[in-house]
Amino acid sequence: MLTQEQSQELEVQHGRIAHVRSRQEGEWEVVLKKPKRSDYKMFRSQSHNSSQAADAQEILVRKMVVYPDADTFMAMLEEYPAIPEACTGAVALLTGLAAAADSK
């Protein structure tokens, strides 16, 4: 698992980040950075295409992962294939999808 110092280094390097961890301590942990606008637009397009929708979230999350490295993350997906869906809340926060409307 990441140390506080490693987490701070990732934040300095990538800006806005989000941590997602397994409910079972020590099983898995990922850190995501905010996606590029073009990557998010591609995700939206793929998610509305019936032949690409099943892979859209995984592709987006793979582009956002900054911890662990790509090879380790792919191995984690073999063991825990639903990690991209577990990252839904973090993706919503990092993209601005999770917002509260303020009406007066």
Side-chain angles (χ1 to χ4, degrees):
M1 295 295 145
L2 278 176
T3 66
Q4 183 71 15
E5 184 177 283
Q6 291 170 312
S7 180
Q8 289 172 341
E9 288 174 16
L10 288 172
E11 192 168 1
V12 167
Q13 187 176 11
H14 299 287
R16 201 165 65 242
I17 61 172
H19 296 257
V20 183
R21 296 177 184 91
S22 166
R23 289 186 178 175
Q24 299 294 338
E25 184 66 33
E27 282 189 342
W28 59 266
E29 174 182 20
V30 298
V31 178
L32 307 176
K33 66 179 180 177
K34 70 176 184 70
K36 294 178 185 174
R37 182 173 179 234
S38 60
D39 291 337
Y40 189 72
K41 288 180 77 167
M42 183 184 306
F43 161 72
R44 287 186 5 227
S45 175
Q46 290 172 331
S47 64
H48 293 291
N49 180 324
S50 61
S51 67
Q52 297 175 334
D55 295 322
Q57 180 123 355
E58 180 178 324
I59 291 167
L60 178 64
V61 169
R62 285 188 357 226
K63 290 179 181 197
M64 295 172 66
V65 169
V66 295
Y67 175 87
D69 63 73
D71 290 337
T72 302
F73 183 68
M74 292 304 290
M76 288 169 53
L77 289 179
E78 290 300 321
E79 187 66 25
Y80 303 102
I83 290 175
E85 287 75 18
C87 293
T88 299
V91 171
L93 288 171
L94 290 169
T95 60
L97 181 63
D102 188 21
S103 61
K104 295 185 181 197

